[in-house]
Amino acid sequence: MAEANLSCVKEFILLGFSDLPNFQEILFGIFLVIYTNILIGNGLIILLTNYDATLHTPMYFFLGNFAFLEICYTSVILPRMLSDLWTQNRSISLLSCATQLCFFLILVVTESLLLAVMAYDRYVAICKPLYYTLIMNHKVCVQLVIASWISGIPIMIGETYQVFSLPYCNSNVLNHIFCDMPTLMKLACGDISGSEVSVYADALLFAFTPFLLILYSYTRIFITIQKLPSVMGRSKAFSTCSSHLMVVGLFYGSGLITYLKPKTSYMAVIDKMLSLFYTSITPFFNPLIYSLRNRDVIMAMKNYCLNEQGLEDLK
């Protein structure tokens, strides 16, 4: 089946880390720890942004949604990868592969748009502070979050359908850790130029455009910060943006390296490493970036721990 015409393919084989047979248990342990910490770290941010009244602001409302997004994002990839490492069963049905790709694309679009929304929030807070509460009221914040979550759904469903409508006649073996679009399109035969144009158009709309909005927002922010009279004021203003800038750099940096690097056959291992970076390592570090560099989050965490300790003492 691996070399026959696979236009009616029923399943794919995800190679994952099959080239490291002696390290399957170690890899399972490492990724289990990473996934557990992603769930705990982002879950804690969701808890704190809902629990502490001082964090009931637009910035932390977006941060709580971003933490939930990171949990969803990694849950599309890591549980399946952990199952493959544990059972050594690397086959994935056509429907499961399509579902994984579809949710992955939708969540990538959501993350890109949500990062742009968070940049806009910082722009309004620093460049238009007197109008901040008026512009970023709760209704607007909810609308921006909903738009970020649903904007890409119909187009990404169509994109997934288009990819899985291609004839597969080279192999059904995916040398990757999950069903990613570039890896799937490598297996397609015939004329795929139409699909490639569609992919680039969607990337331009849902990745490059939000990036330009983020770039514009921070250009205006830096100009405004430089005009502040005191060094302390400039430092405080910049500190409110530094965590978000680090996350944007990790997200777009790893994505650009992954999808714009030369496409050669010997780079499959690098593809896997880069994919792990933006699907696992970045979501792992995001809670640390936002908590360790944010005094409000640290204070909310201390207050939560003290209140929980007080309840325990009363019992």
Side-chain angles (χ1 to χ4, degrees):
M1 184 176 179
E3 300 299 330
N5 190 313
L6 297 174
S7 299
C8 299
V9 63
K10 299 299 181 184
E11 67 176 19
F12 290 102
I13 306 298
L14 280 171
L15 291 184
F17 297 100
S18 58
D19 53 337
L20 300 171
N22 298 325
F23 296 93
Q24 300 298 294
E25 293 84 0
I26 296 174
L27 289 170
F28 176 84
I30 291 172
F31 290 120
L32 181 61
V33 170
I34 290 175
Y35 185 50
T36 302
N37 279 275
I38 289 172
L39 295 179
I40 294 173
N42 287 286
L44 185 60
I45 287 179
I46 295 171
L47 176 66
L48 292 175
T49 53
N50 284 278
Y51 164 82
D52 197 295
T54 61
L55 301 184
H56 291 174
T57 63
M59 182 174 74
Y60 294 109
F61 174 71
F62 295 135
L63 179 57
N65 277 274
F66 187 77
F68 178 68
L69 171 65
E70 294 290 77
I71 290 175
C72 297
Y73 186 56
T74 54
S75 295
V76 171
I77 308 298
L78 287 183
R80 174 77 202 193
M81 188 170 70
L82 288 170
S83 175
D84 290 347
L85 287 169
W86 183 258
T87 64
Q88 300 300 303
N89 178 19
R90 306 187 187 281
S91 63
I92 181 170
S93 68
L94 183 68
L95 179 60
S96 296
C97 191
T99 302
Q100 185 182 61
L101 176 63
C102 186
F103 276 103
F104 173 73
L105 293 176
I106 290 170
L107 292 170
V108 167
V109 168
T110 302
E111 180 155 0
S112 181
L113 294 175
L114 196 53
L115 285 172
V117 167
M118 294 169 78
Y120 175 70
D121 171 70
R122 292 299 82 206
Y123 160 73
V124 176
I126 293 174
C127 300
K128 300 182 179 182
L130 298 179
Y131 300 97
Y132 181 67
T133 55
L134 180 64
I135 296 174
M136 301 303 293
N137 59 70
H138 183 68
K139 182 179 178 181
V140 170
C141 292
V142 171
Q143 289 173 340
L144 288 172
V145 167
I146 292 174
S148 299
W149 278 94
I150 68 173
S151 293
I153 291 177
I155 296 177
M156 291 304 108
I157 290 175
E159 194 70 64
T160 303
Y161 176 79
Q162 186 176 25
V163 169
F164 281 88
S165 297
L166 296 171
Y168 294 95
C169 52
N170 294 322
S171 173
N172 69 333
V173 178
L174 296 172
N175 191 10
H176 207 40
I177 59 174
F178 69 99
C179 292
D180 199 8
M181 186 178 292
T183 311
L184 284 163
M185 294 184 71
K186 285 179 184 177
L187 301 185
C189 56
D191 184 14
I192 62 170
S193 57
S195 298
E196 289 180 332
V197 170
S198 177
V199 168
Y200 285 120
D202 290 342
L204 183 65
L205 177 62
F206 290 114
F208 188 64
T209 302
F211 178 73
L212 288 180
L213 293 174
I214 293 171
L215 191 62
Y216 173 78
S217 296
Y218 276 107
T219 300
R220 295 293 302 273
I221 287 170
F222 289 143
I223 292 172
T224 302
I225 289 176
Q226 291 303 314
K227 293 179 180 179
L228 294 176
S230 68
V231 175
M232 184 176 294
R234 290 195 294 269
S235 177
K236 185 176 180 180
F238 183 76
S239 67
T240 65
C241 305
S242 58
S243 297
H244 181 255
L245 269 176
M246 291 176 67
V247 172
V248 169
L250 287 171
F251 176 74
Y252 278 101
S254 59
L256 285 172
I257 294 172
T258 300
Y259 291 102
L260 296 184
K261 63 178 176 46
K263 304 297 181 184
T264 54
S265 57
Y266 62 85
M267 297 190 74
V269 175
I270 298 177
D271 282 341
K272 295 177 189 178
M273 293 300 105
L274 289 172
S275 297
L276 282 175
F277 189 82
Y278 66 78
T279 60
S280 305
I281 306 303
T282 300
F284 174 79
F285 281 112
N286 284 351
L288 298 176
I289 292 171
Y290 276 111
S291 59
L292 296 180
R293 297 178 58 84
N294 193 303
R295 294 180 182 178
D296 293 336
V297 173
I298 293 173
M299 188 59 65
M301 194 179 302
K302 290 180 179 178
N303 291 336
Y304 178 78
C305 293
L306 289 172
N307 288 339
E308 287 296 310
Q309 185 62 45
L311 291 174
E312 287 294 325
D313 293 341
L314 288 175
K315 291 180 182 179

